[in-house]
Amino acid sequence: MTLSEQIIWGSVYLGICFLIEIALLTWCMQIIRVMSIKLEKSKRFVTIASPLTIALIFIVMIHTFQVWLWAIVWVFGDVLADWNSALYFSLVTFTTLGYGDIVLDDGLRIFGAFASVTGLLAFGLSTAFLVAVMSRVLQEESIL
């Protein structure tokens, strides 16, 4: 892949990951809103723990999906031979752990770096979302 192709395709997959994350976080907000109304008269622990639990479940699901999406790219793009290697590489790249035991050739390094940029931004967005949910829940419970 040329440098410009790596940048274009990396940006495309990064964009796909963020469209998915935004859609699922929006869905999560709607579920939390509906659930909060239903649990208004529940015990305080339940009204605090439930939205946080739902948010965390969604965040884990979103990140897992994104790791799988990148693994699909590696396998179907004939970059890595098997699913085990593709998932492992995708996960250590997405989390920016980067052990370095599996590396891409020169023609894919920039493209591969987009997987780590995706992870950095995804973790940042998820963290901001979780802080917003926690702030809202704690404010509604008059804890803050």
Side-chain angles (χ1 to χ4, degrees), residues 36-56:
S36 293
I37 292 168
K38 290 180 180 180
L39 294 176
E40 276 181 347
K41 297 188 188 327
S42 297
K43 293 190 184 258
R44 193 172 198 182
F45 176 82
V46 173
T47 60
I48 293 171
S50 297
L52 299 178
T53 302
I54 290 170
L56 283 171

Side-chain angles (χ1 to χ4, degrees), residues 89-107:
F89 178 77
S90 183
L91 187 59
V92 298
T93 303
F94 189 81
T95 60
T96 69
L97 183 59
Y99 283 131
D101 52 343
I102 298 176
V103 294
L104 302 177
D105 65 25
D106 291 345

Side-chain angles (χ1 to χ4, degrees), residues 16-137:
I16 289 169
C17 284
F18 274 96
L19 288 175
I20 291 166
E21 183 154 3
I22 290 166
L24 291 176
L25 288 177
T26 301
W27 185 30
C28 180
M29 283 189 310
Q30 292 171 343
I31 290 171
I32 289 172
R33 191 172 293 132
V34 168
M35 187 231 27
S36 293
I37 292 168
K38 290 180 180 180
L39 294 176
E40 276 181 347
K41 297 188 188 327
S42 297
K43 293 190 184 258
R44 193 172 198 182
F45 176 82
V46 173
T47 60
I48 293 171
S50 297
L52 299 178
T53 302
I54 290 170
L56 283 171
I57 289 169
F58 265 82
I59 288 168
V60 169
M61 180 181 67
I62 291 165
H63 289 200
T64 302
F65 185 80
Q66 289 180 46
V67 168
W68 270 97
L69 181 64
W70 280 100
I72 289 168
V73 169
W74 306 133
V75 170
F76 288 121
D78 290 327
V79 176
L80 297 170
D82 60 273
W83 285 102
N84 188 40
S85 297
L87 277 169
Y88 170 76
F89 178 77
S90 183
L91 187 59
V92 298
T93 303
F94 189 81
T95 60
T96 69
L97 183 59
Y99 283 131
D101 52 343
I102 298 176
V103 294
L104 302 177
D105 65 25
D106 291 345
L108 290 170
R109 287 187 183 159
I110 300 299
F111 178 68
F114 274 91
S116 64
V117 172
T118 302
L120 279 169
L121 295 173
F123 283 113
L125 181 58
S126 296
T127 301
F129 178 78
L130 190 57
V131 168
V133 168
M134 289 177 68
S135 296
R136 177 77 182 245
V137 167

